[in-house]
Amino acid sequence: MLFQIFDAFKPRLHDSNSKVNQVALEAMHRMIPLLKDNLSPVINMLIPAIVDNNLNSKNPGIYAAATNVIQALCQHLDNSLLLQPFCTKAQFLSGKAKQDLTEKLA
C-alpha cells in the first residue's frame, strides 16, 4: 500500500510546475513526522525525488521546502536508514546540493 501511494506521489516531488513541486515538498515535510521509520521501505525511492533538482533549485521556495524535508528526515528517521541513500546521492550531486547533503552526512 505504501509503495502505491508513493509511486503516485513521487512524480509530484519533481513536477515541472514549480507550484505543484513546492506543495508536494511541503506535504512531504508534514508527512515525515507522522510516518517516521515506516517510510523505510520507500526511502530509497524518495531521497532522489526530494534531492534531484530541488536542492539546486533557483526557486527559493522549492529550495527551502527541500531543505526542510531533508531536515525532517534527519530528525524523525533512524539515521542508519538515511546513510546509504544520502551517500549515494552526494557522490553524483554538484553545487549547493552536494554541499548541503555532505553537511547532513557529516
Side-chain angles (χ1 to χ4, degrees), residues 90-103:
Q91 287 176 5
F92 301 105
L93 290 172
S94 62
K96 184 118 176 82
K98 184 174 191 108
Q99 179 184 346
D100 289 347
L101 214 51
T102 303
E103 286 175 10

Side-chain angles (χ1 to χ4, degrees), residues 43-63:
I43 203 70
N44 288 327
M45 157 189 7
L46 286 178
I47 299 286
I50 294 163
V51 172
D52 291 348
N53 302 323
N54 296 325
L55 279 183
N56 274 331
S57 178
K58 294 185 185 346
N59 180 320
I62 290 174
Y63 174 76

